[in-house]
Amino acid sequence: MCYKIDSEYLVANYFIHNMDKAECSFRELNKLKTELESKIPGIYIDLSRNSISWMLDAYPSLFSLSDRGIKMIDTTSKDPVIDFNEQINLWLDNSVKKQLDHYFESY
Amino acid sequence: MGVLYPSALHNRFTHSLGVYYLGQKAFSQVKKNSSILCPEIEEGKWKSLEVTFAFACLLHDCAHSAFSHTFEHHYLYQTTVKTSLIDLLRDSDPEFERDIENIGITPHEVVSSIVAIKFFKEPLEARQVDLALLARMITGCKFSDPTKSFMNCLISLLNGFSIDVDKLDYILRDTLTSGTANVIIDVERLLSSLVIKKDMDDAYKLYFNKNALSVINNVLNGRNFLYEWIYSHHQVWYNEELIKNGLDKLNRLLGKNGDKDLLSSFFSVESFFQNVIFNEFSFYLPCDGDLWYILKKYQNEIPEIKELISRQYTLKPLWKTFAEFMQYFNGLSEQEHKNIRGRIEDQFPKYLSENGFSTTINVIRINPKINTIQPNEINILLDDRVISFSDLMDASYTPSRLKQYYYIPFADPLLVTSKKEEAIKFLRTLKA
């Protein structure tokens, strides 16, 4: 059975591991999603419109919609996003989290 | 809905009819309001778009997975479903392959497009339905080609980020069938305000006339009400956990048949076209009933399934709403919230054991699902001027920052009825 990960995790980690970027396109997110799913067996990253919409609405102080995809609200610091990522990591299955961490170590 | 309102009827069929009905009304109004503003769109083109849009509305959920959205990711997991749709449209819409990467994909929409195009090819083509546009409408995949902005308006009318006929139907349907006291939405007023016209950049955009402002507000409030109080009800979340955990265990129990397991056989595109066999089961046009049959067969082997079917729940929520959560953890910093959340699964069972209660717990994250309007998502026509809805009215529903830490621990019913306050006091000690 595959393990579903919400879009918030992908978006947060995109920004954390691309320190020079404050905006990402859906194309870039799709690319990262495909890469992660191919490298880590048993996961599915939910990048559906609903998942993105709920993320944007639940965390309006962090992210908003742009023409191409998603942008950070506070472009001066990544700390809020890093903080947010730590929080949502608490909900991830431990073994999946380890594999994701391992992937991003060499990202 | 069925968990809270057992007699509330909401299935794919009735919803599809509802969206079809609203879609026809919406299109008719768009055409009435826009024909003069868009004289370059000929009558023949309007007719052809109308037919395609109507069938997109009717078929948009024709392959919606059983049990709502809980398992639909199985459609895309390790399959070539997206590639199949791209291949189907390669000749008629070569840009689709590029454009679909510009959106977030919803699995059942991709599969519904495939089923619509393949299963209903003949009757759709006989009615001159544009199959590629139909797929774009169902998946919400807009054209990146700026000359196709008119079509993009219609795509967002069925499948957009904010108000579309799909969302409108389920807001109306769930409110009506549950009997819950939600806001009243003046659908006629809303749809009669729809208009498409060119903006300053010469691109077509979908607008609402100013007379729909109050209704737009109601749509948002109505949707948020359902999400806050119905879809996010603690019992709904708990049931979903039971289904997920139960099916996960069942999937592992039944093992694999070749390279397929139960869930990948059940949630497969093939099952819409032919019988898919897994062990002694055969799936064709799979629905909720098929899964319930299998669950009932194994209810004695898997406790979660027994609990789900019997509704004799073994765990109860320590609190039921965000308001209670805030009351119990009033004054804590975000770090303290994080500390409690990080330690609860480890420390709480020890506390329960020491106090003579069952140590089984289930800590469920309650992910806030509310809807605001992003800037420039809904545009209003104020006589000759255009203004974003979010600039005009307070469309924000800013959730408390602490909602990102919101969860509900489910524990021994005896604890919940007799020692709840002490248990919560203990949880607060985990903050340090």
Side-chain angles (χ1 to χ4, degrees):
Chain A
M1 175 130 156
C2 69
Y3 181 86
K4 193 164 88 163
I5 298 170
D6 286 327
S7 60
E8 59 197 7
Y9 178 85
L10 191 76
V11 171
N13 277 280
Y14 177 89
F15 285 124
I16 289 167
H17 293 96
N18 287 286
M19 291 301 278
D20 56 330
K21 293 197 178 173
E23 184 179 355
C24 64
S25 66
F26 286 119
R27 185 170 290 274
E28 286 166 307
L29 288 173
N30 268 317
K31 199 173 156 196
L32 180 57
K33 165 186 151 83
T34 306
E35 175 78 10
L36 273 169
E37 287 174 355
S38 68
K39 289 272 180 345
I40 302 169
I43 67 162
Y44 170 79
I45 299 176
D46 185 357
L47 209 55
S48 67
R49 187 172 298 101
N50 275 346
S51 181
I52 292 166
S53 188
W54 289 328
M55 178 198 71
L56 294 174
D57 291 335
Y59 311 112
S61 61
L62 292 174
F63 310 112
S64 73
L65 200 62
S66 72
D67 289 339
R68 298 189 313 134
I70 294 169
K71 59 185 180 190
M72 284 172 43
I73 298 291
D74 179 1
T75 55
T76 60
S77 166
K78 296 267 170 146
D79 286 346
V81 178
I82 293 170
D83 209 44
F84 168 69
N85 187 49
E86 279 175 15
Q87 206 284 123
I88 56 177
N89 269 342
L90 293 173
W91 296 101
L92 287 178
D93 172 85
N94 277 334
S95 74
V96 169
K97 185 175 170 319
K98 273 190 193 136
Q99 292 178 84
L100 288 165
D101 287 344
H102 179 71
Y103 171 85
F104 280 112
E105 269 162 23
S106 52
Y107 182 70
Chain B
M1 289 295 292
V3 173
L4 298 182
Y5 300 94
S7 57
L9 177 66
H10 183 147
N11 56 42
R12 262 171 290 171
F13 183 56
T14 54
H15 170 63
S16 295
L17 291 178
V19 176
Y20 175 69
Y21 169 73
L22 289 172
Q24 284 195 301
K25 281 178 92 73
F27 192 97
S28 160
Q29 291 297 328
V30 163
K31 186 182 170 191
K32 183 176 155 198
N33 297 335
S34 314
S35 301
I36 291 174
L37 299 168
C38 309
E40 60 279 12
I41 310 289
E42 292 163 0
E43 178 59 29
K45 183 73 178 166
W46 278 110
K47 274 199 156 70
S48 135
L49 287 170
E50 184 171 16
V51 168
T52 300
F53 185 73
F55 280 105
C57 289
L58 188 63
L59 296 170
H60 80 286
D61 270 349
C62 65
H64 203 302
S65 55
F67 282 21
S68 190
H69 299 278
T70 310
F71 299 106
E72 67 168 313
H73 54 284
H74 281 278
Y75 278 146
L76 290 188
Y77 172 58
Q78 288 189 356
T79 67
T80 55
V81 167
K82 187 169 114 184
T83 313
S84 300
L85 181 58
I86 291 169
D87 286 342
L88 273 176
L89 299 175
R90 197 173 297 285
D91 292 335
S92 53
D93 188 351
E95 310 300 319
F96 184 80
E97 182 172 14
R98 180 197 62 201
D99 292 344
I100 199 166
E101 295 303 326
N102 292 333
I103 61 163
I105 294 169
T106 303
H108 79 270
E109 290 170 355
V110 176
V111 182
S112 292
S113 300
I114 293 173
V115 171
I117 290 170
K118 287 174 80 166
F119 203 89
F120 298 104
K121 189 172 196 288
E122 269 183 44
L124 289 176
E125 283 183 336
R127 286 157 179 82
Q128 271 117 46
V129 169
D130 180 338
L131 297 181
L133 181 57
L134 181 107
R136 281 183 179 266
M137 285 173 172
I138 291 175
T139 55
C141 178
K142 288 185 179 175
F143 293 91
S144 50
D145 178 355
T147 64
K148 308 235 170 108
S149 56
F150 190 88
M151 248 90 82
N152 285 345
C153 294
L154 297 178
I155 290 170
S156 61
L157 193 54
L158 171 59
N159 197 342
F161 258 101
S162 55
I163 296 179
D164 56 52
V165 291
D166 184 9
K167 291 185 189 63
L168 200 53
D169 179 77
Y170 79 67
I171 296 169
L172 295 168
R173 184 169 307 284
D174 284 350
T175 299
L176 179 71
T177 58
S178 65
T180 190
N182 201 354
V183 294
I184 294 172
I185 293 171
D186 188 342
V187 176
E188 301 296 334
R189 192 179 186 89
L190 182 73
L191 298 183
S192 68
S193 75
L194 286 166
V195 61
I196 295 176
K197 72 190 245 340
K198 284 190 177 179
D199 65 6
M200 288 189 322
D201 300 322
D202 214 36
Y204 289 103
K205 274 220 172 82
L206 183 68
Y207 299 95
F208 290 87
N209 254 317
K210 62 182 179 184
N211 57 323
L213 282 172
S214 60
V215 191
I216 294 171
N217 226 30
N218 271 1
V219 171
L220 293 180
N221 290 339
R223 186 181 181 280
N224 288 338
F225 174 88
L226 290 173
Y227 269 100
E228 181 107 36
W229 302 109
I230 311 290
Y231 306 148
S232 294
H233 192 276
H234 60 86
Q235 203 55 55
V236 172
W237 283 95
Y238 186 66
N239 264 49
E240 188 166 317
E241 278 291 299
L242 289 176
I243 291 171
K244 279 198 294 202
N245 294 341
L247 271 178
D248 182 29
K249 285 185 180 174
L250 181 60
N251 205 43
R252 281 187 269 127
L253 177 74
L254 297 181
K256 284 195 175 193
N257 196 337
D259 62 347
K260 292 264 190 188
D261 58 22
L262 168 71
L263 292 176
S264 57
S265 303
F266 186 90
F267 295 102
S268 65
V269 180
E270 290 74 27
S271 64
F272 286 93
F273 298 98
Q274 62 196 37
N275 282 59
V276 172
I277 309 292
F278 178 81
N279 293 356
E280 72 265 41
F281 304 112
S282 172
F283 306 125
Y284 176 61
L285 300 179
C287 64
D288 288 15
D290 295 306
L291 261 186
W292 278 118
Y293 168 76
I294 299 171
L295 287 170
K296 284 179 183 177
K297 207 170 181 304
Y298 291 93
Q299 62 161 324
N300 291 322
E301 277 94 331
I302 298 173
E304 286 86 349
I305 297 176
K306 199 175 186 78
E307 187 175 342
L308 185 70
I309 290 172
S310 68
R311 290 200 182 208
Q312 288 180 18
Y313 300 113
T314 59
L315 300 177
K316 293 284 182 200
L318 213 52
W319 51 79
K320 294 180 180 180
T321 62
F322 183 65
E324 289 168 74
F325 173 76
M326 286 298 291
Q327 187 204 351
Y328 293 137
F329 298 102
N330 186 28
L332 296 187
S333 68
E334 286 190 27
Q335 186 57 52
E336 286 170 332
H337 273 287
K338 266 196 234 175
N339 289 345
I340 295 175
R341 174 61 198 95
R343 293 166 187 158
I344 189 172
E345 265 148 351
D346 192 47
Q347 302 293 322
F348 197 36
K350 288 180 190 164
Y351 166 86
L352 293 170
S353 171
E354 285 161 9
N355 287 275
F357 294 106
S358 163
T359 56
T360 307
I361 63 168
N362 199 336
V363 183
I364 299 177
R365 180 189 184 192
I366 308 297
N367 210 345
K369 287 183 170 78
I370 45 89
N371 194 202
T372 57
I373 301 287
Q374 296 286 326
N376 300 322
E377 220 177 290
I378 292 183
N379 296 300
I380 307 295
L381 270 181
L382 279 177
D383 301 320
D384 288 329
R385 285 169 52 229
V386 170
I387 190 163
S388 167
F389 180 85
S390 50
D391 289 338
L392 267 180
M393 298 187 71
D394 185 10
S396 65
Y397 176 93
T398 310
S400 161
R401 251 189 89 77
L402 295 177
K403 259 201 171 167
Q404 62 183 293
Y405 304 108
Y406 180 36
Y407 55 89
I408 301 177
F410 287 74
D412 186 339
L414 273 176
L415 170 89
V416 176
T417 49
S418 63
K419 297 279 181 190
K420 183 165 101 166
E421 299 295 328
E422 286 94 325
I424 291 169
K425 233 186 205 172
F426 166 77
L427 289 179
R428 279 186 70 100
T429 66
L430 300 179
K431 69 182 182 185

